[in-house]
């Protein structure tokens, strides 16, 4: 069966520090991968999606970046965190089209102080 | 005006009641998702619809493409159904979300 892992589960970082969140999927090949953010008092927002290794599409401009170094690994990064980067970050995967059912990871709660 | 509107924002029900959550959208979509977010933040995808109706256990989701409207129904609601229910639409490869409906089911 397929499983999706995210770590860390919670993170507290100072403003200006770097960020690296990791997401891995097991039990499937060539999944579509997604990064979402849910900021306090705001809804979910799609940040990045990837249809394959090295292929990243960005939906909104921000100081975050994403990389997909391996088929089932998706990394969300920042060189310098802002206060506004605080939120709940979710990774998800789907098979095939982006319209297919997506399966979400447990999420990482990031607090930037 | 948001492209995806959900109603109601908050809903309190007694156990056993029939629940309906509505989602209206103003853009052309390729699919619509209903998501369930539990208090801890974890999200589960309930349905993905492009037409018609789907049923899973006590949950039923319908979509009317012409009217740009979808509904999520919960029959015989239970306290464990308490969560935030989020409607999300696919526009090309972009996913746009409603603000969510917070459902509380009291025993």
């Amino acid at each position: 069966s397929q499983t999706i892992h995210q770590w860390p589960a919670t993170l507290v970082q100072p403003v200006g520090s770097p960020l690296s969140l990791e997401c891995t999927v097991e039990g499937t090949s060539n999944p579509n991968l997604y990064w979402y953010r849910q900021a306090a008092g705001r809804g979910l927002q799609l940040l990045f999606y990837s249809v394959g290794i090295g292929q990243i599409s960005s939906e909104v401009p921000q100081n975050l970046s994403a990389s997909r170094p391996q088929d089932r690994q998706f990394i969300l990064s920042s060189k310098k965190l802002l206060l506004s980067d605080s939120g709940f970050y979710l990774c998800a995967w789907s098979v095939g089209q982006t319209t297919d059912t997506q399966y979400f990871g447990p999420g990482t709660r990031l607090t930037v102080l | 005006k948001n492209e995806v509107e959900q109603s109601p924002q908050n809903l309190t029900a007694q156990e056993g009641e029939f629940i309906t959550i509505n989602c209206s959208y103003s853009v052309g979509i390729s699919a619509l998702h209903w998501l369930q977010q539990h208090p801890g933040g974890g999200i589960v995808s309930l349905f993905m619809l492009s037409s018609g109706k789907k049923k899973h256990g006590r949950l039923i989701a319908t979509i009317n493409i012409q009217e740009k409207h979808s509904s999520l129904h919960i029959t015989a609601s239970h306290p464990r159904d308490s969560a935030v229910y989020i409607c999300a639409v696919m526009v090309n490869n972009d996913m746009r979300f409603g603000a969510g409906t917070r459902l509380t089911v009291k025993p």
Side-chain angles (χ1 to χ4, degrees), chain A residues 32 34 92-104, chain B residues 33-35 44-49 54 95:
Chain A
N32 283 358
Y34 311 83
W93 71 273
S94 69
V95 177
Q97 302 296 318
T98 52
T99 52
D100 285 347
T101 298
Q102 295 186 21
Y103 302 93
F104 287 81
Chain B
H33 296 256
W34 279 104
L35 310 173
V44 174
S45 179
L46 299 174
F47 296 102
M48 192 279 293
L49 295 162
K54 286 189 177 180
M95 199 166 189

Side-chain angles (χ1 to χ4, degrees), chain A:
Chain A
S1 64
Q2 300 87 2
T3 55
I4 178 168
H5 303 279
Q6 277 188 251
W7 64 90
T10 59
L11 190 60
V12 179
Q13 292 283 98
V15 168
S17 64
L19 173 73
S20 181
L21 302 181
E22 189 162 345
C23 171
T24 59
V25 180
E26 296 176 0
T28 187
S29 295
N30 196 30
N32 283 358
L33 295 172
Y34 311 83
W35 277 113
Y36 295 92
R37 177 172 63 197
Q38 187 176 43
R42 296 167 66 180
L44 275 167
Q45 181 183 38
L46 177 63
L47 300 176
F48 301 95
Y49 73 91
S50 170
V51 298
I53 295 174
Q55 300 178 62
I56 309 293
S57 295
S58 174
E59 294 302 310
V60 292
Q62 59 227 325
N63 71 322
L64 300 170
S65 62
S67 61
R68 185 169 177 174
Q70 298 180 47
D71 180 45
R72 288 170 287 181
Q73 184 184 30
F74 206 21
I75 297 172
L76 183 70
S77 304
S78 174
K79 292 182 180 177
K80 285 186 178 182
L81 283 169
L82 306 173
L83 286 174
S84 57
D85 291 323
S86 293
F88 189 56
Y89 288 82
L90 288 150
C91 179
W93 71 273
S94 69
V95 177
Q97 302 296 318
T98 52
T99 52
D100 285 347
T101 298
Q102 295 186 21
Y103 302 93
F104 287 81
T108 294
R109 194 163 298 282
L110 171 66
T111 303
V112 182
L113 300 174

Side-chain angles (χ1 to χ4, degrees), chain B residues 14-70:
Chain B
Q14 287 298 129
E15 183 173 357
E17 285 184 359
F18 181 82
I19 305 282
T20 296
I21 299 171
N22 296 299
C23 176
S24 297
Y25 52 91
S26 57
V27 292
I29 70 169
S30 50
L32 181 145
H33 296 256
W34 279 104
L35 310 173
Q36 181 190 51
Q37 185 170 30
H38 286 281
I43 288 183
V44 174
S45 179
L46 299 174
F47 296 102
M48 192 279 293
L49 295 162
S50 52
S51 65
K53 176 180 173 179
K54 286 189 177 180
K55 184 176 189 294
H56 185 255
R58 294 181 294 106
L59 301 176
I60 303 167
T62 63
I63 188 169
N64 185 317
I65 297 293
Q66 287 75 26
E67 294 185 3
K68 291 188 165 67
H69 181 268
S70 175

